Amino acid sequence: MHAKDGNPPDGGYGWVVVLSAFMVMGLTAAVLKTFGLFFVEIQQHFDELASTTSWITSVTIAIFHLGAPVASLLCVRYTHRAVVITGGLLAFSGMVLGFLGLNMIWMYATTGFLQGLGISFSWTPAISIVSHYFSRKRALANAIASAGECAFAFTFGPFFQWLISQYGWKGALLIIGAIQLNICAFGILMRPLANSCLVESSHSETLPSSGASRIGKEDKSPITHKTFNWMLLRRPEFVLYAIFGILAAMSFFVPPLFLIPLSYSLGIDESWTASLLSVLALVDFAGRLLCGWYANLHITKPVHLLTMTITLISTSLMLLPLANNYLSLAIFTGFYGFFFGTTVAVHITVLADVVGMPDFDSALGLFMLIRSTGGFVGPPLAGLIVDMAGDYRAGFYMAGATLVLSVGFLVTLDQFQQKKERGSQTNTKPEKSTLTYPSLHLLKLQ
């Protein structure tokens, strides 16, 4: 059953889609986020350096991003539902094959490549279809959907630790793969919107309402009106936001990767260490929901809100290495997690504002593709810095400094958008005068 209205429903079955996306986020991003629990186990099993072991996460992150434009293309050609189901099968395959643990190359190919592709094919269409179902409440809907990552990570931390202790890291991978099969079930619930919604949303500014509805009724093909827009790469505002994405990706995946090893280096017990991931997930969850609610009030411009949250994250990362016991580490981790959650809640909304909804699917795929360079380079670079410094704290300093640099591109983006808006307003005024005065003159002559 399809939505009949030309505009996004902003509710109704859309909340079922949000719930499905919530679950998909938990079964994909939360698994990636808590994979740091396997870091030391795999490193010791293969007797490798931290920089070598970190390539598993690096490959996963890179393929997660590189697969995004492919996922977007498949969404354009088929449906979001079909791509999510495919992603669930790929994620399952990656974990099950990783169970064999033949060598480090094998781990790169399975828990790295296949798992990353499965996450990409599940995450990308799930977050995309939520944005299509909502307009006025988009920020809140995205925040709720993305919060699934936190809700699952909160329980996955101690649960994965228990699995490793009971079944070893290989057995834990096998069980996690079976759990990820549920992605397919929730993908089935992601009912596609009617094609007319997409046609009218992309033509509403240029066509009369009657003409738009007529096209919506006549055009039933899912591929004649939807195309992947590569020309977004020529738009300066998109390029600026993509560069911000690269720098952010270099930083975002470092703290979860090195938080556990840092706690071990401080002599914190394993049972307490696992709880750090739960603390991180809990405050992350709160940050997403609070920021989504606040963004939905439309008090602060989304790009301004994003700039503020990124600044606070970088400050938290610079302070986190000062921790010297469990309590101080948990406090600084809480600050980082909360501000990270606020960032995730709003950054997709900012992307939609930058490109507009007609090009959102294309923009999301391209953004993830470009951002992949940061996700690919970040963890190994941080691992190299850690190996050189002999201290896990160095990785956090690197992540914080990179985020400080990314703020500059957000500020530039905001200035560019404001200048563009002022220019469009200036160009509109003469057009109104040329249309108004001649028409009044003709009426007088008549």
Side-chain angles (χ1 to χ4, degrees):
M1 181 177 178
H2 298 292
K4 296 180 180 180
D5 297 324
N7 297 318
D10 250 328
Y13 192 80
W15 293 116
V16 176
V17 174
V18 169
L19 176 61
S20 300
F22 178 94
M23 302 300 292
V24 171
M25 296 299 109
L27 295 171
T28 54
V31 172
L32 177 59
K33 197 170 185 177
T34 52
F35 199 77
L37 288 168
F38 292 86
F39 185 89
V40 175
E41 299 289 335
I42 295 175
Q43 182 183 9
Q44 292 177 350
H45 179 83
F46 292 106
D47 192 23
E48 296 285 355
L49 295 172
S51 55
T52 304
T53 308
S54 65
W55 274 102
I56 297 176
T57 302
S58 181
V59 171
T60 307
I61 295 169
I63 299 302
F64 167 40
H65 290 81
L66 290 170
V70 180
S72 295
L73 280 167
L74 292 174
C75 289
V76 168
R77 180 63 180 85
Y78 301 102
T79 63
H80 295 78
R81 171 191 282 168
V83 182
V84 171
I85 294 173
T86 303
L89 295 174
L90 287 170
F92 164 75
S93 301
M95 284 298 190
V96 170
L97 292 174
F99 159 78
L100 299 177
L102 302 180
N103 50 50
M104 192 60 75
I105 301 297
W106 180 262
M107 299 306 296
Y108 295 158
T110 54
T111 57
F113 181 84
L114 282 178
Q115 179 67 198
L117 195 62
I119 292 175
S120 182
F121 277 32
S122 303
W123 186 94
T124 306
I127 204 68
S128 175
I129 196 171
V130 169
S131 293
H132 280 293
Y133 262 90
F134 290 85
S135 176
R136 185 170 50 86
K137 301 177 182 178
R138 183 175 296 140
L140 180 61
N142 279 325
I144 295 173
S146 68
E149 172 186 341
C150 315
F152 276 73
F154 178 76
T155 55
F156 276 176
F159 178 57
F160 285 4
Q161 188 72 59
W162 179 80
L163 287 178
I164 293 172
S165 64
Q166 293 295 314
Y167 304 101
W169 67 269
K170 291 185 178 181
L173 289 181
L174 186 64
I175 295 172
I176 294 169
I179 294 173
Q180 284 185 306
L181 266 180
N182 288 284
I183 294 172
C184 300
F186 293 108
I188 294 174
L189 296 176
M190 294 182 179
R191 188 171 68 199
L193 279 167
N195 294 330
S196 58
C197 296
L198 299 173
V199 176
E200 290 180 322
S201 64
S202 62
H203 290 78
S204 58
E205 296 183 358
T206 57
L207 293 175
S209 59
S210 60
S213 61
R214 183 167 59 253
I215 294 175
K217 293 177 181 178
E218 293 175 357
D219 187 359
K220 300 295 184 180
S221 172
I223 61 175
T224 56
H225 63 279
K226 288 184 68 180
T227 56
F228 196 90
N229 186 9
W230 295 96
M231 293 299 101
L232 287 168
L233 294 172
R234 295 185 177 182
R235 294 173 57 175
E237 60 269 35
F238 176 76
V239 173
L240 286 170
Y241 196 66
I243 296 174
F244 154 74
I246 294 173
L247 296 172
M250 287 181 64
S251 306
F252 285 166
F253 297 102
V254 172
L257 183 63
F258 292 113
L259 182 61
I260 300 302
L262 175 62
S263 65
Y264 287 158
S265 68
L266 295 176
I268 299 175
D269 186 74
E270 288 187 4
S271 59
W272 288 102
T273 296
S275 68
L276 285 174
L277 294 178
S278 297
V279 171
L280 185 63
L282 183 63
V283 294
D284 188 351
F285 182 83
R288 295 187 194 213
L289 293 184
L290 285 174
C291 188
W293 167 79
Y294 178 78
N296 200 58
L297 298 177
H298 304 288
I299 298 174
T300 305
K301 191 176 179 181
V303 69
H304 294 166
L305 188 58
L306 181 61
T307 303
M308 181 177 64
T309 60
I310 290 294
T311 302
L312 292 171
I313 289 180
S314 61
T315 303
S316 301
L317 286 176
M318 292 294 191
L319 294 174
L320 192 146
L322 299 178
N324 55 12
N325 54 46
Y326 174 79
L327 180 60
S328 59
L329 186 60
I331 292 173
F332 286 126
T333 297
F335 280 117
Y336 161 74
F338 181 82
F339 296 130
F340 177 81
T342 59
T343 298
V344 174
V346 76
H347 84 286
I348 293 296
T349 302
V350 173
L351 178 61
D353 290 344
V354 168
V355 301
M357 280 311 299
D359 290 322
F360 179 73
D361 281 336
S362 301
L364 182 60
L366 286 174
F367 178 74
M368 296 294 289
L369 173 64
I370 296 171
R371 199 177 75 165
S372 66
T373 55
F376 190 71
V377 172
L381 178 60
L384 179 62
I385 293 174
V386 167
D387 288 336
M388 292 174 62
D391 191 342
Y392 287 108
R393 293 180 176 89
F396 292 91
Y397 288 129
M398 169 261 178
T402 307
L403 279 180
V404 171
L405 183 61
S406 73
V407 171
F409 289 92
L410 285 179
V411 173
T412 306
L413 169 64
D414 182 45
Q415 294 297 318
F416 182 86
Q417 286 183 313
Q418 290 184 19
K419 183 178 179 180
K420 191 175 180 180
E421 289 173 3
R422 288 194 297 265
S424 62
Q425 290 173 1
T426 303
N427 294 331
T428 303
K429 291 180 180 178
E431 291 178 4
K432 290 182 178 179
S433 61
T434 56
L435 289 173
T436 303
Y437 293 116
S439 60
L440 290 173
H441 179 65
L442 290 174
L443 286 173
K444 289 179 180 179
L445 290 175
Q446 291 177 354

